[in-house]
């Protein structure tokens, strides 16, 4: 079974721009979660989608948004980028009714 | 105060040593406990997954959960240089599927 895939793997943007990151979960997984990982804050939960509905949300500003499609693929968007948004953005998928999560390789975003 | 506190390390041990990694938590709602291994510039890899209290063994790895003390541990026997990585504990509640709270990680180096 293929693992979680994320595209693109690396991204460089400038302040004020917006960015869209994509995640394809493991086949059959309907839950997709997004996390931000930085050296100072560690892994922080952004939001989780299940069957196209946002089921959980972390404490991030409204500039961070996401969506999930009917095939369970998910995208997250960050608008009006700030320098502090530079991070590794990780996507994880879960089987139904299980809390174990399987992570993708991440998208490394650099904001200049 | 963070919900999950992880022994910060870094930890350096000789090959063949037994390694103990530990986390404490404050949220009584946590019922699912995970350990992830993350190599540099990669996504976290799920190592162990435990529900509620007790022990779970998988090869050289043993996970322990003591809910009464709000304390979890991961033991690595016969450590190998390939075990050198950052280890992250993670926890989630039954009612918050898809949202895991992570410790900050412990970086382990196993010297040949």
């Amino acid at each position: 079974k293929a693992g979680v895939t994320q595209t693109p793997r690396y991204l460089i943007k400038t302040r004020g721009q917006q960015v869209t990151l994509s995640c394809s979960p493991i086949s059959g997984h309907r839950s997709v979660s997004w996390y931000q990982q930085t050296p100072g804050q560690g892994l922080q939960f952004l939001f989780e989608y299940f069957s196209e509905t946002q089921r959980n949300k972390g404490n991030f500003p409204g500039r961070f948004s996401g969506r999930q499609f009917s095939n369970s693929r998910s995208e997250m968007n960050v608008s009006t980028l700030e320098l502090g948004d530079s991070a590794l953005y990780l996507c994880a998928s879960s089987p139904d009714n299980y809390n174990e999560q399987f992570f993708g390789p991440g998208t490394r975003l650099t904001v200049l | 105060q963070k919900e999950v506190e992880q022994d910060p390390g870094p930890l350096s041990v000789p090959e063949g040593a037994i390694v103990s990694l530990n986390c404490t938590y404050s949220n009584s709602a946590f019922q699912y406990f995970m350990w992830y291994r993350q190599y540099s510039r990669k996504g976290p890899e799920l190592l162990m997954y435990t529900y509620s209290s007790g022990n779970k063994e998988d090869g050289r790895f043993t996970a322990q959960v003591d809910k009464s003390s709000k304390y979890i541990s991961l033991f690595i026997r016969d450590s190998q240089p390939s075990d050198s990585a950052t280890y992250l504990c993670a926890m989630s509640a039954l009612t918050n599927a898809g949202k895991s709270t992570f410790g900050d990680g412990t970086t382990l180096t196993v010297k040949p």
Side-chain angles (χ1 to χ4, degrees):
Chain A
K1 217 179 225 186
V4 178
T5 58
Q6 292 186 245
T7 56
R9 293 292 312 279
Y10 301 92
L11 210 47
I12 299 175
K13 292 285 187 179
T14 56
R15 278 181 299 173
Q17 287 187 310
Q18 74 166 21
V19 67
T20 300
L21 312 181
S22 181
C23 170
S24 293
I26 292 171
S27 178
H29 290 191
R30 290 191 288 171
S31 169
V32 174
S33 299
W34 289 89
Y35 293 84
Q36 181 195 66
Q37 187 175 33
T38 59
Q41 299 296 320
L43 259 159
Q44 291 189 289
F45 174 77
L46 280 156
F47 30 65
E48 184 237 356
Y49 287 87
F50 182 85
S51 290
E52 302 179 67
T53 301
Q54 187 180 85
R55 194 162 63 170
N56 275 298
K57 189 177 187 308
N59 297 323
F60 278 81
R63 299 185 298 108
F64 293 82
S65 63
R67 60 177 176 169
Q68 187 180 33
F69 302 96
S70 58
N71 61 358
S72 294
R73 190 176 70 84
S74 177
E75 288 181 347
M76 69 162 280
N77 185 76
V78 188
S79 63
T80 319
L81 284 166
E82 301 177 359
L83 295 179
D85 297 333
S86 294
L88 181 67
Y89 289 89
L90 292 159
C91 166
S93 73
S94 302
D96 289 5
N97 302 320
Y98 288 93
N99 288 51
E100 53 190 317
Q101 295 183 307
F102 299 89
F103 282 83
T107 295
R108 186 163 296 280
L109 172 66
T110 302
V111 182
L112 302 176
Chain B
Q1 187 183 358
K2 291 186 176 183
E3 280 189 299
V4 178
E5 299 277 2
Q6 184 168 358
D7 288 353
L11 209 51
S12 181
V13 301
E15 185 175 352
I18 296 174
V19 176
S20 171
L21 303 166
N22 308 293
C23 290
T24 58
Y25 63 96
S26 57
N27 188 343
S28 299
F30 289 148
Q31 295 188 46
Y32 297 91
F33 305 92
M34 287 74 70
W35 285 95
Y36 290 86
R37 178 174 62 195
Q38 186 174 25
Y39 292 112
S40 181
R41 310 190 78 79
K42 303 280 188 183
E45 171 196 5
L46 181 64
L47 278 177
M48 301 286 284
Y49 168 75
T50 311
Y51 170 70
S52 197
S53 283
N55 293 358
K56 186 174 183 179
E57 189 173 319
D58 184 1
R60 297 184 295 109
F61 299 90
T62 300
Q64 287 186 352
V65 175
D66 182 349
K67 290 190 70 179
S68 62
S69 302
K70 295 189 176 65
Y71 188 86
I72 72 169
S73 299
L74 177 71
F75 296 94
I76 307 174
R77 290 184 299 281
D78 187 26
S79 56
Q80 302 295 309
S82 58
D83 294 328
S84 298
T86 296
Y87 290 80
L88 299 152
C89 63
M91 310 173 189
S92 63
L94 180 64
T95 55
N96 265 333
K99 177 185 177 182
S100 293
T101 302
F102 282 79
D104 287 341
T106 301
T107 299
L108 170 68
T109 302
V110 181
K111 296 184 176 179

